[in-house]
Every structure is written in C-alpha cells, then in structure tokens.
Amino acid sequence: MHILVVNDDGPPNERVSPYVRPLVDELQSAGHLISVAIPAASRSWIGKAHLIEAELTAHLVHPDSFRPDGSWDSTYKPDPTTEDGAAGPQSDWVVIQNGTPASCTQLGLHNLFTDLPPIDLVISGPNHGRNASTIYNLSSGTVGGALEAVFCGKRGIAISFGSKDPQTDSVIAAAARLAVKLVGHLWRNWDERVELYNINIPMREDVEGQPVLYTRTLPYYWSRGCLYAETDRRKEEARRVLNGATNGVNGVHKETNGVNGVNGVNGVNGVNGAHHGEPEAEAEAGTVSKQRHFKWSADLSDMKKRLQESEEGTDAHTVLNGSTSVTALRANFWHVPGLEGPIDLEL
C-alpha cells in the first residue's frame, strides 16, 4: 500500500530523531510505497497545530544526504547505479520549513505526491519516547499527525518508540520490524469503529517476543504547573549570541525550537502579533520593563511517578512493563450524555 510517513521529531538526527529512517527502510523492505513529509525542526508538544501566519517551504531531500545533526547536503547526488531503479523525485523525502506534523499530513495528502497513487494510510512517527496517558496524547505532535489524517478522511496510526535513551542498532531494528508487522495486522483487521491507533513500543532487544496488548489511555492531569520557568532575558540573549543560534544551515535560516521566533517561525511579528522590545532599548528610553520572560523547562517528575504507578491495562503500564500497547481511538471530544436541552439560569 501507499503510506505517508510524517513525524514531529524532524529529519534523521542522532540525538532527537534517531528512529524515522529505520522505520521507513523497514516499511519499504516490506514492499510498501512510502512517501515522507517531515518538519525541518523538532515539533514536539505541538499537537495538531497549524502555523497560520507562516509560509511553508518544502525541500526535496535525498534520505542519504542527511547529516548526523539533521542538516543535509543540498549538493548530494545519488549514484544511479546503486538506486535499484528508485532514483529520481520519488526517492526524495520532503522536509518542510515551518512545518508541523499536521501540516505535513495535509501537504502530504493533498499537495506533494499528486503524481503517485492515492495514499492509503498515514503513519506518524516513530516518536522519540513514549506517548502514553491523556496529557501526552493530547499534546503530542506524533498523535496530532495521525489525528490530522482522520480529518482528511484517511486512517492514521501514531507510533512511538518508548525511550529517549540511546539505543543500539539491533534494538531499533527490532522495534521497526515489530512496528511494520503490527501496522500490517491492524490494516488487514481494521475495526470500523476505530479512527486511529496509538502504538507504544518498548525499546528492548527481545521486543518481538513480548506481548502486544490492546490498552486504554491512562487519565492524567497536571498536579502543578511544571512546563515553564522564568528567565533573565539579558542572560538568554547573551547565551544565544555566544552559541551562534542565528547561523544558517544549507542556506536556510536554522530553526531552533523557538529561538528567533515561535516554533521556528522567523519574523512573524513576535508572539501572537505583538512586537517585543529589547531590554536594552527600554533601558535607553528610561522606561521600566513590565515584561516577564519564560521558557520551556518541563519538570515531568510528577507525571513520571504517576506513569510508574499506572493501572494494569493502561497504555502507560503496558509499555513500562515491556509490552507493546495498542490504543484504539476516536478522533473527537465527545459530549457528556444526559446534558441536553434548555438551561434554566434561575436555578
């Protein structure tokens, strides 16, 4: 079948996106036609977002041209004698500057691969780490890419490889083989009540010999605000200059997860259309800043404790105990039954 692969971790990268190339290779080895559309930078925790103010640029990139840091050699030319007939545009991946998982799904389904047969299935992932529990699922760009497929009239499968720790090639290969086998099974036996599946695969050498279980999503709510920390903006500006955060890659301005814009969008008039003055300018004008600055600084210790204590049968308990979880989902926020009709405001 023709499968569109999207993700939220961006191009192949030893540190943040080590799993996408092995999965694509395994899907192709199984005989599937694979089209790939991925964001140019990590888009974790972005859900099913679209950046409506941003211009999206699609770069055709040969998969063998990626460097270990996720950048690519734009001058790379494949050797046609080693391509086994796959040389040409069909072998290129599409890397989308200012892309999100949802926009990659939209463009992949409707704009980018119109010369190929219709896409049958969208696979989003494999995520670098677990997506188990309501917080992760509703925040995850990986799940968001699969959700977008549903709203485009396609079946979606979100796949997460359940560890951010470095893994051996053999462990990654085992997870990829199991993922492809599981995708084939779900496709052949798709329950018509299901709109998307969320899969979590533990990273272990013997994963193919471990149980694969249907699960339910672990409910989780924040016990405290723990995603952001207040920062000293002057120190942050100095750090950015020191680290050379504004240097370009391949002639394209480097997206740095929120540096120089929002989620890698550069020059979109600040945040929510509001232009932000620099502290130095405020000082020269003799004004007192009324701004406070925060940055992503996730403290997930409470969440991790709750996941460790999760009940048997949940996605979190299953993957943390070495089995693969498969959660069948509907792509909606369903109403509470029984709350219907007029509301009497006098009561």
Side-chain angles (χ1 to χ4, degrees), residues 265-331:
V265 181
N266 299 298
V268 191
N269 297 324
V271 181
N272 295 327
H275 179 76
H276 292 273
E278 295 299 322
E280 293 78 4
E282 293 168 353
E284 290 175 4
T287 60
V288 177
S289 175
K290 294 183 179 180
Q291 298 177 349
R292 296 172 65 188
H293 304 284
F294 300 84
K295 68 177 291 186
W296 182 267
S297 183
D299 177 0
L300 304 180
S301 55
D302 286 358
M303 174 186 282
K304 290 178 180 178
K305 181 180 179 182
R306 174 69 180 101
L307 297 182
Q308 292 289 344
E309 296 171 348
S310 56
E311 298 81 13
E312 186 174 353
T314 62
D315 50 6
H317 181 277
T318 299
V319 69
L320 286 171
N321 282 273
S323 298
T324 294
S325 74
V326 178
T327 309
L329 299 172
R330 300 283 297 177

Side-chain angles (χ1 to χ4, degrees), residues 221-240:
Y221 301 85
W222 295 121
S223 58
R224 56 190 174 87
C226 52
L227 291 181
Y228 297 91
E230 194 158 9
T231 64
D232 183 323
R233 190 171 179 186
R234 293 176 186 272
K235 291 181 179 179
E236 284 295 303
E237 290 293 328
R239 181 189 62 79
R240 277 173 46 192

